[in-house]
Amino acid sequence: MAEQAPSPADRPTGSTDEASGAPAGGRTAAPAGHPHDNASVANRLAALPQTARAEVFTQSANGLEFSGYRAEPAAPDPGLGVAVLVHGWPQYASCWEDVAGTLLAAGMPVLAYDQRGYSPGARPEAVEDYDVRHLVADLDALTAALGIERFHLGGHDWGGVMGWAYAAAHPERLETFTSVSSAHTLAHGQRMKEDEDQYARMEYLRKIRHHPEEFSAAMLRDGGARLASFYQDAIPAPVVASYLERFAQPDVFDAVLKYYRALGSADPLPTTPITVPTLYVWGSEDIAFTRGAAELTGEFVEGPYRFAELTGASHWLPEERPDAVAEAVLAWVREHA
């Protein structure tokens, strides 16, 4: 189900917000994460001159219900195709707002959704339900349900981890793939074995896997101060506050930690061959993926490949360098249109 997000000027007096059902103008019960929830993002995108319409949606797919937003450009470029943007941990689909604005200005439709664990209607209890193969199936089912046959995939962090597996499993559905920050899974694994620095950077992963309750409590204590420190001051404070508010909701943070706990719970999903045109955008100051893992990634791509380094940038590229990410994506898409 989808509904267009009206601009504030279009709302009659006494109407309800179509996205949330709350009283328009001075709502008393804003949704968690407001004003960076999906409805707020859709409203802002709808108000941009480059946007014809923007809407929030809740869509059943793969036995779950996913929430997100999508937008159509005012001046579409039919040669560009659709961009499907997938967030990572610990973020939401709202991380792509500024990237989406630039893509829309170029004439490219965009869709972003909250993955399982993040979408309220997609929060299964079993740890094994968060294995990568389920994330891949979610994307495949969701795009099909929304009538998108082929698309340009952009994934950040866990969205990128999932994207490498999706590109290997469903190359027929992708026009291009862009991994933002996340090295190829095999490159990352190899560097973890060979490089003490890369191994050390994954200490948080080991803490999650072995002591999830302690890790969760520590991250959320004192208003989420330790979790906020993960963002390295690279993400605007209001956006960080919106993330913390949503993760503080009952069971949410424990659910999204299951991505890490599910690692190894099933046979690995193949991440090769990668034959679709692939772009890897990496920040030189990334806290998770070392230069060694980043530079090794190209060895696992058989199709056209480009490595785009953003000097001085952190791991949080969709929020910190949205224009650079969007321009890199557009250049790659135009090259392979």
Side-chain angles (χ1 to χ4, degrees), residues 169-204:
H170 299 288
E172 75 285 352
R173 299 207 57 206
L174 293 185
E175 298 191 54
T176 66
F177 167 51
T178 298
S179 180
V180 180
S181 300
S182 300
H184 188 280
T185 310
L186 297 179
H188 183 217
Q190 181 175 325
R191 294 305 293 157
M192 281 187 66
K193 295 177 182 177
E194 301 170 345
D195 180 17
E196 292 183 1
D197 182 22
Q198 183 63 85
Y199 181 83
R201 294 189 190 200
M202 293 296 106
E203 178 61 22
Y204 75 95

Side-chain angles (χ1 to χ4, degrees), residues 242-254:
S242 79
Y243 290 160
L244 298 182
E245 182 181 4
R246 282 178 276 186
F247 288 131
Q249 301 298 305
D251 302 322
V252 176
F253 201 60
D254 290 339

Side-chain angles (χ1 to χ4, degrees), residues 33-255:
H34 179 80
H36 296 282
D37 56 295
N38 289 331
S40 298
V41 171
N43 278 328
R44 284 192 292 273
L45 291 176
L48 296 175
Q50 63 262 41
T51 306
R53 60 175 289 172
E55 60 188 15
V56 290
F57 67 83
T58 299
Q59 177 64 53
S60 297
N62 200 24
L64 302 171
E65 284 196 350
F66 294 90
S67 305
Y69 58 89
R70 62 192 306 183
E72 299 289 335
D77 183 338
L80 292 182
V82 180
V84 176
L85 307 173
V86 188
H87 69 90
W89 179 87
Q91 292 162 293
Y92 282 82
S94 57
C95 74
W96 296 107
E97 178 177 353
D98 290 339
V99 172
T102 301
L103 297 182
L104 288 164
M108 194 173 193
V110 297
L111 179 146
Y113 68 97
D114 293 326
Q115 295 204 76
R116 63 171 58 204
Y118 300 82
S119 283
R123 201 166 289 153
E125 293 186 8
V127 169
E128 56 267 24
D129 286 336
Y130 292 81
D131 182 76
V132 173
R133 66 184 61 250
H134 295 301
L135 310 182
V136 167
D138 291 343
L139 171 61
D140 202 50
L142 179 62
T143 50
L146 292 172
I148 302 172
E149 295 183 4
R150 282 174 58 82
F151 53 95
H152 300 278
L153 174 61
H156 175 248
D157 190 80
W158 265 99
V161 172
M162 180 278 298
W164 289 111
Y166 191 89
H170 299 288
E172 75 285 352
R173 299 207 57 206
L174 293 185
E175 298 191 54
T176 66
F177 167 51
T178 298
S179 180
V180 180
S181 300
S182 300
H184 188 280
T185 310
L186 297 179
H188 183 217
Q190 181 175 325
R191 294 305 293 157
M192 281 187 66
K193 295 177 182 177
E194 301 170 345
D195 180 17
E196 292 183 1
D197 182 22
Q198 183 63 85
Y199 181 83
R201 294 189 190 200
M202 293 296 106
E203 178 61 22
Y204 75 95
L205 182 154
R206 292 184 286 276
K207 289 180 178 178
I208 293 171
R209 288 176 59 77
H210 298 301
H211 306 286
E213 293 83 4
E214 294 178 15
F215 183 89
S216 179
M219 290 296 105
L220 298 179
R221 190 178 299 124
D222 299 324
R226 288 190 61 183
L227 179 57
S229 71
F230 266 48
Y231 303 114
Q232 302 176 279
D233 294 324
I235 298 178
V239 178
V240 171
S242 79
Y243 290 160
L244 298 182
E245 182 181 4
R246 282 178 276 186
F247 288 131
Q249 301 298 305
D251 302 322
V252 176
F253 201 60
D254 290 339

